[in-house]
Amino acid sequence: MSKKSYLIPRRTFLRGIGAALALPSLEIMSPALSYAKTAPVKKALRMAVLFKGAGVNPSSWDITGATEINFELSKLLSPLEKNKSDIVLLRNIEGSGKGGGHESATVNFMTGQLRKSRLIQRHSFDQIIADHVGKNTPVKSLQLRSDTYLDGNDPAENFLSYGKDGKALPVEDKPEIVFNHLFKGFHNSGFRQRTKSVLDEVKESYAAIVRKASNQDKQVLEQYLQSVRDVERDIEQFTTQNNPVRDARLREIRPVPATNNLAGRTRAMLELIALAFWTDMTRVSTLIMAHTESRSTFEFLGINDELHMLSHFVRTRNRSAGLSGYDKINHWYIQQFAQFIDRLKSLKDADGSVFDNSAILFGSGIKHGDYHSVTDLPLVLAGGGGGKILPGRYVDYPNVPNGNLHLKLMDIMGVQREQFGNSTGLLTGISEKANLAPKYVDDGSWKIVKESGNKIQLKGMLKISVKADDLNLYLVQLSNKQQIEIRPSFGNVHSLRLDACVGSVVELTGEFNVKDGRKNITKVSHCKRL
């Protein structure tokens, strides 16, 4: 008897009356896998976008004094401490335009371009991926929201995903409906059979009526019949996509209860994405965790102020929750992201875990919550990407467009394109170490260039400092270690888009006064990023 006669085929089933349950991976199968003559199974890669609108407090988000592999997480990112080896922190990736409003923030995040109109946008990168991989799953893609606020004035802010025709894809905010759609629908053979019987009856009725119908009625009936054909196509899709592993996993799914609170909805939606990925019901999903102008309150955190109002922390400094409340909310969202990472890691896949075979992008379409800057977007990439993401790093890019990131995520998911949105090329430093040289090196030229009366011209590194008692302070770092304070009005910063220059060496011209022996720039007339 052969020493390997005990081995069983990988696709062995436990068979019973009317059921076939796929066995999980067993050690007894491992050698069989090694000696199998069948072609290796192609990895099922997944991609999720978790959009957390309303920006951040830059001073609480930013990491300083770091290298690519040696970095300390900031105050807001601290919930990811145990996940440092699972993420890539992305710095200086920027959207299109100069910022200044929420109108394009969400669209820009997904397309790398400004808002086209109230209703029609450009094809979003997630749907380009879904068009490619969606044919392999029962559900092409999931579009979800846990923040139920909808902007009635500008619908473009309410959606992440746009199809090839530029139209927004519907977004669902009720976890129980998503659950029923995923796990109580066509995947169930009994449901498919009952639905097919109803469709047969409808078609018989249609045939009887159409013989007597007018030409106009025939057009109406034809549209009706088309909807029947669409359902038939869905049934056929589920029937032909026989997947024993999926069927076995589906039997382990427990219902997701209805929930009316933001915290419960957010957790439920993240759980549904995890389960949908694990059962291969879909491989692409987006979730609006917080609307870009969110009116949500966070009583469960002891915060009764709206997120959007708190995000405008320079102008709404007297709100009860203040800057600390804004930070606390963003900290909570990072916690949910960290828990989602852990959940995906707990779900075993054919090769590693679901997390190993996923790419998850978390972030916002603006940086500074009040100034709406679109440079240096707050972004975190997580997952193994099927071996195409090298995590555990902090990558400080030299200001690259977010279209480059979109192209890279498409590439990870098997979609090759040369250009997308504002892209200038495929983003490097994701699948491999970036090894980027510092963009700025103090060469001794950061100094006051000219001073006349109350006018001043200087060159240096522009920084920002946000504190509860000092919300609108900018600083220019000079080569002699001196820092010149900039205390302009909100209108001055906003109109000049000064915040877009933070983190860069700039040429700056303005007016100043002297207080306590120190120069303070009170008005900026020109700022150019070098």
Side-chain angles (χ1 to χ4, degrees):
M1 180 180 289
S2 168
K3 290 183 178 181
K4 294 186 175 63
S5 61
Y6 62 87
L7 299 180
I8 61 175
R10 172 66 186 90
R11 300 188 69 78
T12 296
F13 294 87
L14 296 178
R15 298 190 180 277
I17 299 175
L21 177 63
L23 287 171
S25 297
L26 304 174
E27 289 183 2
I28 198 172
M29 295 175 179
S30 298
L33 285 171
S34 301
Y35 292 100
K37 295 181 180 180
T38 56
V41 178
K42 189 176 182 180
K43 292 180 181 178
L45 302 181
R46 294 84 158 183
M47 195 278 297
V49 176
L50 309 180
F51 179 79
K52 202 297 300 174
V56 296
N57 166 8
S59 290
S60 295
W61 176 276
D62 289 344
I63 292 174
T64 57
T67 66
E68 184 171 349
I69 58 175
N70 292 307
F71 56 93
E72 296 297 324
L73 295 178
S74 62
K75 173 183 175 181
L76 288 186
L77 293 169
S78 61
L80 291 166
E81 184 62 42
K82 62 180 172 35
N83 302 109
K84 279 181 70 173
S85 61
D86 302 320
I87 59 176
V88 183
L89 296 164
L90 307 175
R91 191 76 190 266
N92 288 320
I93 291 179
E94 54 190 45
S96 297
K98 297 181 179 180
H102 292 282
E103 299 84 13
S104 288
T106 311
V107 172
N108 200 347
F109 191 80
M110 300 300 292
T111 68
Q113 298 195 51
L114 298 176
R115 167 184 172 279
K116 190 175 181 180
S117 72
R118 292 177 72 255
L119 299 176
I120 302 297
Q121 310 305 330
R122 295 166 180 85
H123 205 179
S124 58
F125 86 93
D126 66 303
Q127 287 307 298
I128 293 175
I129 293 172
D131 290 343
H132 179 72
V133 304
K135 60 181 178 293
N136 299 317
T137 57
V139 178
K140 178 182 172 184
S141 63
L142 284 179
Q143 295 77 234
L144 311 174
R145 69 168 69 250
S146 52
D147 188 333
T148 57
Y149 173 71
L150 295 173
D151 190 308
N153 296 319
D154 196 337
E157 297 180 5
N158 302 328
F159 304 95
L160 287 175
S161 302
Y162 292 86
K164 190 178 295 185
D165 59 2
K167 295 180 181 178
L169 275 65
V171 186
E172 182 54 63
D173 64 2
K174 294 181 175 57
E176 65 274 20
I177 290 178
V178 178
F179 179 85
N180 290 340
H181 173 58
L182 288 173
F183 306 120
K184 286 188 176 181
F186 292 133
H187 77 277
N188 182 286
S189 59
F191 180 88
R192 288 198 300 267
Q193 190 57 46
R194 291 193 300 274
T195 304
K196 192 172 187 302
S197 297
V198 172
L199 294 180
D200 288 342
E201 292 178 11
V202 169
K203 291 174 75 174
E204 289 179 11
S205 300
Y206 169 85
I209 295 171
V210 76
R211 288 193 293 268
K212 304 175 183 178
S214 65
N215 289 334
Q216 184 173 343
D217 285 344
K218 286 179 180 178
Q219 293 179 7
V220 175
L221 287 167
E222 177 59 27
Q223 290 177 341
Y224 178 71
L225 185 61
Q226 183 57 51
S227 65
V228 174
R229 295 191 190 105
D230 291 341
V231 177
E232 287 180 320
R233 185 176 62 247
D234 288 341
I235 292 176
E236 178 64 22
Q237 183 180 32
F238 277 81
T239 303
T240 56
Q241 289 184 353
N242 182 39
N243 189 326
V245 174
R246 176 190 296 140
D247 292 342
R249 290 177 177 179
L250 285 170
R251 282 190 280 273
E252 297 183 37
I253 303 298
R254 297 291 175 264
V256 172
T259 179
N260 293 319
N261 64 82
L262 175 65
R265 259 196 320 274
T266 300
R267 295 187 183 106
M269 290 303 192
L270 290 170
E271 174 68 4
L272 284 165
I273 295 173
L275 293 176
F277 282 179
W278 182 55
T279 55
D280 205 27
M281 292 297 285
T282 192
R283 296 178 187 172
V284 178
S285 182
T286 58
L287 172 62
I288 299 176
M289 300 177 79
H291 191 282
T292 188
E293 294 193 63
S294 176
R295 299 307 197 262
S296 293
T297 56
F298 296 76
E299 292 84 357
F300 58 93
L301 296 177
I303 299 170
N304 295 317
D305 293 311
E306 295 177 351
L307 173 56
H308 180 225
M309 193 62 66
L310 290 175
S311 73
H312 289 273
F313 55 84
V314 176
R315 287 176 285 177
T316 59
R317 62 187 69 204
N318 294 323
R319 288 280 164 174
S320 59
L323 185 66
S324 63
Y326 183 48
D327 280 348
K328 192 173 183 179
I329 291 170
N330 281 319
H331 188 271
W332 178 81
Y333 276 113
I334 298 292
Q335 286 179 322
Q336 309 317 299
F337 177 39
Q339 290 169 13
F340 181 62
I341 289 174
D342 291 339
R343 180 61 171 135
L344 293 183
K345 291 174 72 174
S346 75
L347 297 172
K348 301 305 177 185
D349 209 15
D351 182 9
S353 68
V354 173
F355 181 79
D356 296 328
N357 294 321
S358 296
I360 306 103
L361 178 65
F362 173 95
S364 183
I366 57 177
K367 178 70 177 285
H368 191 296
D370 208 354
Y371 287 122
H372 304 152
S373 49
V374 296
T375 54
D376 190 18
L377 295 176
L379 300 172
V380 183
L381 182 64
K388 299 177 183 178
I389 297 175
L390 180 63
R393 295 177 300 119
Y394 166 78
V395 185
D396 190 351
Y397 289 98
N399 299 105
V400 297
N402 62 340
N404 292 16
L405 173 59
H406 296 149
L407 280 180
K408 181 58 182 179
L409 289 170
M410 291 184 216
D411 179 69
I412 289 171
M413 294 297 292
V415 180
Q416 279 72 49
R417 286 183 57 147
E418 302 232 345
Q419 204 278 331
F420 179 77
N422 57 6
S423 70
T424 57
L426 196 68
L427 187 68
T428 60
I430 299 297
S431 301
E432 67 293 317
K433 281 189 178 180
N435 294 321
L436 296 171
K439 180 181 178 182
Y440 297 108
V441 177
D442 187 351
D443 59 359
S445 67
W446 302 357
K447 61 185 180 180
I448 296 174
V449 177
K450 186 176 181 182
E451 184 178 335
S452 177
N454 72 333
K455 308 291 185 184
I456 190 170
Q457 180 182 346
L458 50 84
K459 175 184 176 182
M461 172 69 72
L462 184 65
K463 300 181 178 181
I464 186 172
S465 173
V466 180
K467 299 177 181 178
D469 59 349
D470 200 357
L471 296 166
N472 200 33
L473 172 63
Y474 291 84
L475 304 157
V476 177
Q477 176 73 53
L478 305 182
S479 293
N480 63 3
K481 308 304 180 185
Q482 180 184 3
Q483 289 188 332
I484 305 294
E485 294 187 354
I486 306 175
R487 296 184 178 278
S489 66
F490 176 89
N492 186 198
V493 176
H494 191 269
S495 62
L496 206 62
R497 306 291 183 235
L498 183 65
D499 199 69
C501 296
V502 170
S504 301
V505 172
V506 298
E507 289 180 350
L508 186 144
T509 304
E511 300 175 5
F512 75 98
N513 62 24
V514 178
K515 186 176 181 179
D516 298 328
R518 301 181 62 181
K519 291 184 176 67
N520 294 281
I521 297 175
T522 56
K523 182 179 180 180
V524 179
S525 56
H526 172 76
C527 184
K528 179 183 177 182
R529 188 170 70 184
L530 300 179

